[in-house]
Amino acid sequence: MQVHELVARFAQAGASANPINAARAELESLRDDLGAVEQALSFVSGVGGNARQVFYRSPAITLLKVCFPAGRRTPPHDHGTWATILLLSGEEKNTLYRHDNGALRKASEVTLTRGSILPMLADTAHVAECLGTTPAIGLHVYGGDILDLPRRMWNPQTLEAHALDWTLYEQFAQAASRASAAPAP
């Protein structure tokens, strides 16, 4: 498998009538060949923020390889669009939140292992964290240009909402990683 084949498959999914379901179907079709996906994406480090993780972006779809090192936890954040994740290695816990009268409320937790898929609707906020000592590496698919969409993040200590700002995000991520767990309002 070559990276251009992945791009073609997901670009077609992004142009479909129901792109989140089409992207999920593509991810499901890749489950039996995770090694080939990992090899195709081996040129992407997966670290250094979204701009360094993206290997394809268009107005309809963005593809990233994301690597969460051991001990890393994100602050609560959204993507400004739907998202689907296929975990390639490691173990990743996702705490999902719903919006309740302007506040975040914990809705559920999902732990991903190799081959797990997590779809998230556009109004979903989440915290992702690497469990264990192996980095959690995933193929992330977003419905739009993730570098251009308006996004939000929340202070993990106060749950105050902010527009996405990468410098502040990193400060929030460090605070979130030091906490004993994801916020549970």
Side-chain angles (χ1 to χ4, degrees):
M1 176 179 307
Q2 301 292 319
V3 72
H4 68 86
E5 294 170 307
L6 285 172
V7 168
R9 290 168 74 163
F10 287 104
Q12 184 175 4
S16 73
N18 191 336
I20 188 172
N21 286 345
R24 183 178 182 162
E26 288 298 335
L27 291 176
E28 288 173 356
S29 75
L30 296 172
R31 279 181 165 163
D32 293 333
D33 207 2
L34 295 178
V37 175
E38 289 172 312
Q39 181 62 36
L41 299 180
S42 63
F43 73 99
V44 182
S45 71
V47 296
N50 284 172
R52 300 191 70 186
Q53 298 165 331
V54 169
F55 64 93
Y56 177 77
R57 67 189 264 236
S58 75
I61 204 144
T62 302
L63 303 173
L64 290 85
K65 175 184 171 186
V66 176
C67 176
F68 288 114
R72 177 72 166 189
R73 181 183 295 124
T74 68
H77 65 280
D78 67 18
H79 302 111
T81 184
W82 60 263
T84 56
I85 300 168
L86 170 64
L87 200 67
L88 301 172
S89 68
E91 191 173 7
E92 180 182 300
K93 179 177 167 184
N94 282 268
T95 304
L96 305 173
Y97 300 88
R98 69 178 188 283
H99 300 274
D100 185 14
N101 293 325
L104 287 185
R105 297 286 178 239
K106 183 178 172 185
S108 64
E109 290 181 349
V110 178
T111 298
L112 305 178
T113 57
R114 184 173 168 84
S116 295
I117 296 171
L118 175 63
M120 291 180 275
L121 298 175
D123 64 348
T124 302
H126 78 130
V127 167
E129 64 184 285
C130 178
L131 302 178
T133 58
T134 302
I137 300 173
L139 170 56
H140 292 219
V141 182
Y142 300 99
D145 183 347
I146 196 72
L147 300 181
D148 198 36
L149 292 169
R151 299 172 60 188
R152 291 176 295 175
M153 61 184 183
W154 286 261
N155 181 318
Q157 297 165 323
T158 66
L159 293 181
E160 177 186 2
H162 298 266
L164 182 69
D165 170 274
W166 286 112
T167 301
L168 188 55
Y169 180 94
E170 184 55 33
Q171 293 172 14
F172 286 172
Q174 289 176 16
S177 295
R178 287 189 301 269
S180 62

